[in-house]
């Protein structure tokens, strides 16, 4: 079978690609890491246990909005009430999940690594037909900006969670442990990831025609552009930090590790 | 230092062709185009190859070297090991004329479909006044040498010939962005970027940016900003509503 790169009139080359480098390494690594994260996150979201170790709350469960939340973990009230019977993580999961799923960087990553469209540059994809992001469901990627706005709110919440980490197990302020550092680092990385977002770059100033008429927004745009150039890096770092923060809380909650307290 | 390199060059026409083997001397500092010329001078005088400047500025010598779209004149032989076979084929997304020469007229058709620059009425050439910060973004895209490597690598048309009528390709998304961001241009190209030029088919996998010899950040600085502008115009109900109620009758464009 000739590859999809062939068409009448084109130079006849049978090979799917003539690339001689190891082009498959990068999509394979991306696939592996994202796959592991999805498995871990799914398991943790459904586990519905070990997500709170006073004063630390796992980012997968924050904000915890159901009456069934672990005592003391609902810092923003149990708004969802008691009709919600499933894991409270599932109530809020759609926001961070939707943000990453529609992120321009992750789109590139999973279109390449999971959908092989294309697996790498100048390597033929396996699909006979292709319509990109023009039809349902992929046309919904255009809603990314709404997830960006939601992510800003989540960043505030997770930062607040990290601040609450300056208490001890009895709720007294003025203490700090390794967990505080873990939650702070996670909140910071998530914030940088969010601020480096392409929609953010557009909203703060990218959509303007005349920067000269909007000096403040232009300044903001240059800052965000600088972060935006490293968006991929922040996407990965914040993915790891969320998983590590959750794992850390789980280790504490299951007594497999005890939080080193600094003061 | 001279060594003998093994080359495989695609020879043929639209009727058919194949890779042919050549052993050829390579000297220090040479580029792939030099070697192709040596083969032409010593072994295959009728080998067709298009080139012009030998300096990465005319965009004529685009081809695929070991499967990667590149300018032959800017691909140093030193990136290959001495025992590595070097395979050169014509661009694979366009019809082949002969050997390494392809017919890139698809791109000229697409260029004509982009509405040209339209300054405000009554403003004559010579009266244009612009601030540097306002033209910085457009100027990045002016670096384009029209080598069409980005068009060639883009899987939307490379792997799907049937998408060609509906898809302008990354080079022309950059052109649309250049005009859309131009401080003196008056045409709204947002809706047509999606509806006529097919920007929605791009799945931002960034191969165009990877191959651009001018280092233009096509995806980050042209395509994604254009997708966001299209979203302003077509997929953002809040902005749409704001434009209806507010003063902005233009679907949320900001000056
Ligand atoms: S980023 Fe879009 S335009 Fe560029 S090569 Fe990929 S699909 Fe084509
Ligand atoms: S944008 Fe870059 S790759 Fe595309 S035609 Fe211009 S110079 Fe070539
Ligand atoms: S583009 Fe990645 S978060 Fe918005
Ligand atoms: S010969 Fe002009 S770009 Fe290579």
């Amino acid at each position: 079978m000739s590859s999809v790169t062939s068409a009448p009139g084109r130079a006849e080359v049978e090979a799917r690609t003539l690339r001689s480098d190891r082009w498959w390494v990068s999509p394979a690594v991306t696939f592996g890491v994202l796959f592991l994260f999805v498995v871990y996150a799914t398991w943790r979201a459904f586990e519905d246990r070990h997500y709170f170790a006073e004063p630390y709350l796992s980012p997968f469960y924050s904000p915890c909005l159901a009456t069934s939340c672990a005592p003391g973990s609902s810092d923003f009230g149990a708004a969802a009430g008691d009709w919600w019977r499933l894991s409270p993580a599932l109530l809020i999961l759609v926001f961070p999940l939707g943000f990453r799923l529609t992120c321009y960087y992750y789109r590139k990553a999973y279109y390449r690594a999971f959908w092989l469209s294309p697996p790498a540059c100048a390597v033929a994809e396996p699909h006979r037909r292709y319509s990109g992001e023009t039809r349902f469901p992929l046309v919904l990627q255009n809603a990314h900006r709404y997830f960006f706005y939601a992510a800003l709110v989540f960043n505030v919440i997770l930062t607040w969670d990290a601040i609450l980490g300056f208490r001890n197990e009895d709720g007294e302020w003025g203490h700090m442990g390794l967990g505080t550092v873990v939650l702070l680092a996670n909140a910071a990385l998530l914030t940088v990831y969010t601020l480096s977002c392409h929609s953010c770059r557009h909203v703060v100033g990218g959509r303007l025609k005349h920067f000269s008429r909007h000096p403040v927004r232009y300044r903001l745009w240059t800052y965000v552009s600088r972060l935006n150039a490293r968006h991929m890096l922040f996407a990965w770092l914040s993915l790891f930090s969320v998983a590590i923060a959750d794992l850390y809380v789980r280790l504490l909650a299951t007594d497999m590790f005890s939080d080193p307290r600094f003061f | 230092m001279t060594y003998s390199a093994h080359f495989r060059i695609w020879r043929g026409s639209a009727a058919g062709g194949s890779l042919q083997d050549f052993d050829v001397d390579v000297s220090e500092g040479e580029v792939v185009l030099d070697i192709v010329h040596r083969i032409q001078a010593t072994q295959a005088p009728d080998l067709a190859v298009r080139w012009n400047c030998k300096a990465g500025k005319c965009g004529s010598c685009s081809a695929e070297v070991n499967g990667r779209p590149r300018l032959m004149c800017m691909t140093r032989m030193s990136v290959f090991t001495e025992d590595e076979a070097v395979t050169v084929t014509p661009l694979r997304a366009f019809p082949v004329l002969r050997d390494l020469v392809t017919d890139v007229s698809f791109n000229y058709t697409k260029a004509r479909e982009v509405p040209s620059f339209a300054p405000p009425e009554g403003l004559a050439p010579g009266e244009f006044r612009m601030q540097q910060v306002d033209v910085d973004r457009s100027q990045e895209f002016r670096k384009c040498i029209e080598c069409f490597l980005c068009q060639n690598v883009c899987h939307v048309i490379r792997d799907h010939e049937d998408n060609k009528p509906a898809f302008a390709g990354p080079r022309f998304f950059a052109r649309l962005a250049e005009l859309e961001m131009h401080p003196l241009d008056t045409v709204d190209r947002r809706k047509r970027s999606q509806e006529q030029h097919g920007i929605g088919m791009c799945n931002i996998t960034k191969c165009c940016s990877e191959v651009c010899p001018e280092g233009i950040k096509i995806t980050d600085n042209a395509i994604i900003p254009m997708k966001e502008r299209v979203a302003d115009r077509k997929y953002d109900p809040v902005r749409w509503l704001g434009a209806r109620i507010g003063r902005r009758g233009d679907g949320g464009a900001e000056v």
Side-chain angles (χ1 to χ4, degrees):
Chain A
M1 190 193 77
S2 62
S3 82
V4 291
T5 303
S6 305
R10 297 188 188 182
E12 192 185 294
V13 178
E14 284 296 307
R16 177 182 179 211
T17 182
L18 290 170
R19 278 182 70 164
S20 50
D21 56 335
R22 295 189 299 156
W23 55 264
W24 40 269
V25 170
S26 165
V29 171
T30 308
F31 179 89
V33 176
L34 284 182
F35 183 77
L36 286 178
F37 179 83
V38 169
V39 170
Y40 176 78
T42 310
W43 166 59
R44 281 295 282 150
F46 281 93
E47 196 183 29
D48 199 4
R49 279 188 303 159
H50 312 312
Y51 54 82
F52 186 56
E54 191 84 58
Y56 310 128
L57 173 61
S58 155
F60 286 171
Y61 284 80
S62 178
C64 206
L65 298 175
T67 315
S68 62
C69 286
S73 66
S74 292
D75 297 305
F76 296 87
D82 55 8
W83 61 272
W84 185 261
R85 298 262 164 247
L86 302 172
S87 160
L90 302 177
L91 272 174
I92 51 151
L93 189 72
V94 58
F95 296 104
L97 182 70
F99 186 47
R100 286 191 192 249
L101 270 182
T102 59
C103 163
Y104 286 97
Y105 168 68
Y106 282 105
R107 272 144 79 180
K108 172 194 167 195
Y110 65 76
Y111 286 144
R112 281 191 184 205
F114 286 75
W115 194 239
L116 308 178
S117 178
C121 301
V123 179
E125 55 178 291
H127 313 285
R128 285 271 146 204
R129 302 205 64 81
Y130 171 90
S131 60
E133 301 184 331
T134 55
R135 301 209 195 125
F136 183 82
L138 292 183
V139 71
L140 294 180
Q141 307 279 29
N142 285 299
H144 181 58
R145 57 186 59 186
Y146 287 104
F147 288 108
F148 161 70
Y149 297 131
L152 289 176
V153 177
F154 271 74
N155 287 336
V156 173
I157 292 171
L158 292 182
T159 306
W160 178 243
D161 285 339
I163 293 172
L164 292 178
F166 285 98
R167 300 172 307 170
N168 63 12
E169 293 190 359
D170 305 317
E172 289 152 356
W173 286 95
H175 299 274
M176 186 178 178
L178 183 58
T180 322
V181 177
V182 171
L183 291 192
L184 274 178
N186 180 44
L189 286 171
L190 283 171
T191 304
V192 181
Y193 168 58
T194 311
L195 292 180
S196 66
C197 164
H198 288 274
S199 289
C200 178
R201 187 178 184 221
H202 176 70
V203 169
V204 298
R207 64 157 65 105
L208 295 167
K209 218 173 171 82
H210 292 93
F211 282 149
S212 57
R213 294 187 196 155
H214 305 267
V216 177
R217 289 182 68 184
Y218 174 60
R219 182 63 63 83
L220 284 175
W221 179 84
T222 57
Y223 292 146
V224 171
S225 295
R226 232 174 282 161
L227 292 178
N228 179 260
R230 297 204 175 76
H231 191 55
M232 173 176 104
L233 176 69
F234 298 134
W236 285 114
L237 289 180
S238 60
L239 191 79
F240 293 136
S241 75
V242 171
I244 289 170
D246 173 76
L247 183 66
Y248 189 79
V249 172
R250 191 177 191 280
L251 289 178
L252 299 185
T254 52
D255 289 324
M256 289 165 81
F257 185 74
S258 80
D259 190 37
R261 306 297 298 180
F262 305 152
F263 50 84
Chain B
M1 267 293 291
T2 307
Y3 72 96
S4 174
H6 188 67
F7 264 66
R8 294 156 72 214
I9 297 188
W10 195 90
R11 299 209 59 193
S13 67
S18 61
L19 292 170
Q20 293 186 7
D21 293 279
F22 299 94
D23 287 304
V24 54
D25 284 348
V26 173
S27 309
E28 206 171 314
E30 289 189 311
V31 295
V32 169
L33 184 62
D34 294 325
I35 311 307
V36 171
H37 279 154
R38 181 161 304 130
I39 292 171
Q40 197 186 40
T42 59
Q43 303 179 40
D46 59 345
L47 173 66
V49 55
R50 192 188 273 135
W51 65 284
N52 207 310
C53 69
K54 259 184 138 191
K57 283 295 160 215
C58 71
S60 307
C61 65
S62 302
E64 302 195 9
V65 183
N66 283 357
R68 310 182 79 151
R70 324 190 55 144
L71 296 177
M72 283 186 278
C73 72
M74 297 303 280
T75 307
R76 290 179 170 278
M77 284 306 296
S78 59
V79 302
F80 309 107
T81 57
E82 293 192 6
D83 49 9
E84 185 178 0
V86 180
T87 307
V88 187
T89 68
L91 299 177
R92 291 181 65 188
F94 305 122
V96 66
L97 292 172
R98 196 157 68 87
D99 302 343
L100 298 178
V101 179
T102 49
D103 171 5
V104 294
S105 55
F106 162 79
N107 302 291
Y108 306 135
T109 309
K110 293 297 162 184
R112 279 192 293 272
E113 287 169 7
V114 178
S116 48
F117 174 67
E121 248 177 78
L123 203 61
E127 293 172 358
F128 296 179
R129 296 292 176 271
M130 291 166 269
Q131 305 272 331
Q132 184 59 42
V133 287
D134 293 337
V135 289
D136 277 342
R137 282 181 299 178
S138 294
Q139 279 176 340
E140 177 184 6
F141 311 127
R142 301 294 299 181
K143 290 190 300 184
C144 173
I145 59 171
E146 305 230 298
C147 62
F148 304 129
L149 289 175
C150 57
Q151 302 282 94
N152 169 64
V153 79
C154 179
H155 70 114
V156 177
I157 46 179
R158 182 183 175 91
D159 293 344
H160 306 277
E161 178 76 20
D162 53 324
N163 282 337
K164 275 188 178 169
F167 187 73
R171 189 314 166 223
F172 300 103
F173 298 143
R175 174 74 177 144
L176 286 160
E178 176 196 330
L179 292 166
E180 190 59 31
M181 294 170 183
H182 194 291
L184 283 181
D185 184 72
T186 54
V187 181
D188 186 348
R189 295 178 176 76
R190 292 173 299 169
K191 220 170 159 186
R192 61 173 297 140
S193 292
Q194 179 87 331
E195 292 166 5
Q196 264 107 60
H197 305 294
I199 202 171
M201 288 215 247
C202 161
N203 67 354
I204 51 171
T205 35
K206 288 201 173 176
C207 291
C208 49
S209 308
E210 265 183 42
V211 301
C212 178
E214 283 294 309
I216 301 172
K217 302 259 188 309
I218 309 172
T219 319
D220 283 351
N221 290 346
I223 298 177
I224 294 174
M226 282 309 288
K227 279 189 177 246
E228 285 291 314
R229 283 166 188 241
V230 170
D232 277 352
R233 185 71 181 79
K234 285 181 63 104
Y235 301 111
D236 192 334
V238 177
R239 285 192 74 75
W240 179 82
L241 207 63
R244 284 281 147 136
I245 312 169
R247 292 168 290 121
R248 299 192 195 114
D250 57 359
E254 284 189 38
V255 291

